[in-house]
Amino acid sequence: YELIYAVFNTAQWAAASIPTYPVNFTPPSGLDTYIRVDVVASGGNTAAFPRSVSGVLIIDIFAPAGKGNKTGTDIADTLDTYLAGKTMKVPTGSIQTRESALVHSGIDKDNLSLSRYEYSIPFNYYGV
């Protein structure tokens, strides 16, 4: 989890100017564009050598409702720049990501002024 979340703690990501929060966090009121990040590990072997873990990174994208899909898809494109098809070296190994998927989920049930999109991208971690 820490290795994936570290991607969003870089100067490069800060330059994208997309407010980013962990899953289950409620952002400040009045914010109309942001993302929430969740790492879902689905399998692996941390006892063997080399260690491995697979999973899916799920990012909820929130954008103003009623203004079309441009903001949501632009954010997904920005996420692809940083995440899709990448191999990220980390101190204990490497994280490899694959192709992303984006689904428009419609109006957010908790805030009717926002549209919600689900961006997902599978990953594998191989460590030493």
Side-chain angles (χ1 to χ4, degrees):
Y1 300 98
E2 293 171 8
L3 301 174
I4 295 283
Y5 283 125
V7 170
F8 300 100
N9 196 27
T10 64
Q12 293 87 357
W13 180 253
S17 299
I18 301 169
T20 304
Y21 301 97
V23 69
N24 295 326
F25 183 85
T26 302
S29 62
L31 196 58
D32 68 354
T33 304
Y34 62 94
I35 65 173
R36 279 196 312 224
V37 180
D38 190 11
V39 179
V40 180
S42 60
N45 189 348
T46 58
F49 184 82
R51 295 178 294 173
S52 67
V53 175
S54 60
V56 178
L57 176 60
I58 299 174
I59 299 175
D60 290 322
I61 299 171
F62 296 89
K67 297 189 177 184
N69 293 331
K70 184 173 179 2
T71 301
T73 56
D74 284 352
I75 291 172
D77 287 344
T78 300
L79 288 165
D80 274 351
T81 300
Y82 291 91
L83 298 171
K86 303 291 184 189
T87 298
M88 298 170 264
K89 299 288 184 187
V90 294
T92 58
S94 295
I95 298 170
Q96 293 180 332
T97 60
R98 290 184 243 143
E99 189 174 313
S100 68
L102 182 67
V103 175
H104 183 216
S105 303
I107 302 297
D108 182 56
K109 65 180 177 64
D110 296 325
N111 184 338
L112 300 178
S113 69
L114 299 176
S115 283
R116 186 176 185 164
Y117 303 80
E118 183 179 286
Y119 174 96
S120 59
I121 188 163
F123 71 87
N124 290 305
Y125 163 77
Y126 302 98
V128 291

